[in-house]
Amino acid sequence: MHLDGKVALITGAARRIGASLARALAARGMTVAIHHRGSREEALALVAEIEQAGGNATAFAADLEDVPSAERLHAEVVESLGAPRVLVHNASRFERLSLEETDPAALRRDLAIHVESPLALSRAFARALPDGADGRIVALLDWRASLPDPTYFPYTIAKSGLLALVRNLAVELGPLVTVNGVAPGAILPPSAGGGKGLADLTADLPARRPGQVEDIVEACLFLIERAPYTTGAVIPVDGGRHLG
């Protein structure tokens, strides 16, 4: 897909991987809708940085734990910038909870952010595409979507649901819209801190080291720019973690 002049919506884009992808897409001429929930100052700072570099970006706030807010988010982006041609499901929550610690509220939060809101956004995205226009949807997954990790019980279940959503959307939205996933491994420490360090998490991997944010960005750019015949696929960027 030729990106210059088109609109991209990235959820959870104020910080970390989402922000890096926003910079990369803006540098390729896209107008980027930077979604955030509570990181307003960081989102506005990123918008200013992109605009100073000659790009175009706008910040949009929405709480993706509330599915109607996801639908309103897409409508606001369309009204302000036009229909997105690229949608990246990056927003996430990563809470360490065992089976015994998982209550219905925690599971509902994870499912809303990782499955229900991405479904609502993807449906709105497909409906808003101009007739005959192609589109790209990329979901940031996790190696846990395919390999159980009971220390993050609701998160793992929800990411598995997002993987199933990617595959079902690929069938439903083809041929004009491709839907794929990128599954990071140990790239950044959890934003909330705690847990093992990256060196400990990667000591037993085939790669023997953590990855870089740029590794994730490049995988996303490949799926968005250069992979029109790839859909329903997941690129593992995890140093071999998916091998078990």
Side-chain angles (χ1 to χ4, degrees), residues 6-68:
K6 296 181 174 68
V7 176
L9 167 57
I10 308 174
T11 65
R15 302 185 295 123
R16 295 164 65 90
I17 292 171
S20 293
L21 182 57
R23 294 184 186 99
L25 291 177
R28 283 161 173 76
M30 297 202 81
T31 296
V32 184
I34 296 170
H35 159 261
H36 68 93
R37 185 178 69 168
S39 304
R40 181 175 181 273
E41 291 185 3
E42 291 164 292
L44 293 177
L46 179 59
V47 167
E49 175 189 338
I50 288 172
E51 290 180 342
Q52 187 173 12
N56 297 296
T58 304
F60 295 86
D63 183 355
L64 299 187
E65 289 185 22
D66 175 61
V67 177

Side-chain angles (χ1 to χ4, degrees), residues 40-203:
R40 181 175 181 273
E41 291 185 3
E42 291 164 292
L44 293 177
L46 179 59
V47 167
E49 175 189 338
I50 288 172
E51 290 180 342
Q52 187 173 12
N56 297 296
T58 304
F60 295 86
D63 183 355
L64 299 187
E65 289 185 22
D66 175 61
V67 177
S69 292
E71 296 167 343
R72 290 193 295 271
L73 166 65
H74 190 274
E76 290 170 3
V77 172
V78 171
E79 182 178 358
S80 177
L81 305 177
R85 298 282 295 279
V86 172
L87 172 61
V88 180
H89 298 303
N90 174 71
S92 185
R93 70 188 300 270
F94 186 63
E95 186 175 5
R96 187 183 182 95
L97 290 173
S98 68
L99 171 61
E100 291 300 323
E101 294 167 324
T102 299
D103 59 17
L107 182 58
R108 281 195 298 268
R109 287 194 298 271
D110 270 305
L111 289 174
I113 292 172
H114 297 114
V115 181
E116 295 179 78
S117 283
L119 188 158
L121 281 168
S122 298
R123 181 166 52 206
F125 171 86
R127 288 173 175 172
L129 281 174
D131 289 343
D134 57 347
R136 301 285 183 266
I137 298 176
V138 177
L140 271 294
L141 295 164
D142 192 298
W143 60 266
R144 295 171 179 84
S146 301
L147 294 174
D149 182 359
T151 58
Y152 293 90
F153 200 84
Y155 172 84
T156 297
I157 291 171
K159 283 294 190 179
S160 298
L162 181 55
L163 172 58
L165 179 63
V166 164
R167 291 170 172 167
N168 280 273
L169 287 173
V171 174
E172 181 68 19
L173 300 183
L176 290 177
V177 179
T178 65
V179 188
N180 295 288
V182 173
I187 304 294
L188 292 169
S191 58
K196 293 182 178 179
L198 291 182
D200 293 330
L201 291 171
T202 57

